Amino acid sequence: MKHTGQCTKCRSYNVIKKEANSMHQQDQVILNSWGTKKIYLDNFICTDCGYSERFVQMNPKSEKLMKERLKKQGGGFDEYV
Ligand SMILES: [Zn+2]
């Protein structure tokens, strides 16, 4: 959906991209308890079936914050890094 502009559920190409607004809480994921480390989510919405997906805005800053969080968490999923 993000890369093709096509809905992954109904195959329609009538997909809206609504970029994250840094002022809107619903477009943010806060990664630390102080609320100082945030990443932002872009929305992709199919206007035919209503299906929607959200993707983190990938940039050097958000990638760094996500990797820091992953390291802190100490979990698996290394293959996805
Ligand atoms: Zn659809």
Side-chain angles (χ1 to χ4, degrees):
M1 209 150 157
K2 177 183 175 183
H3 297 293
T4 62
Q6 184 179 22
C7 178
T8 54
K9 299 297 179 192
C10 75
R11 307 255 173 245
S12 165
Y13 282 95
N14 296 325
V15 172
I16 296 170
K17 178 181 181 187
K18 193 253 165 197
E19 285 189 24
N21 182 329
S22 60
M23 302 300 286
H24 292 172
Q25 277 188 341
Q26 70 269 23
D27 289 348
Q28 305 172 358
V29 178
I30 295 170
L31 295 177
N32 65 342
S33 52
W34 293 97
T36 52
K37 293 182 177 177
K38 294 175 191 171
I39 52 179
Y40 298 96
L41 299 168
D42 289 331
N43 297 272
F44 297 84
I45 304 158
C46 173
T47 61
D48 287 328
C49 75
Y51 180 72
S52 67
E53 288 181 345
R54 311 180 87 193
F55 286 87
V56 170
Q57 284 186 340
M58 297 302 280
N59 55 50
K61 192 182 172 197
S62 65
E63 287 174 37
K64 182 174 166 272
L65 290 175
M66 288 191 289
K67 283 179 182 165
E68 275 176 18
R69 171 64 195 228
L70 183 64
K71 222 182 242 177
K72 209 177 237 183
Q73 203 167 294
F77 305 111
D78 287 340
E79 66 270 28
Y80 296 115
V81 174

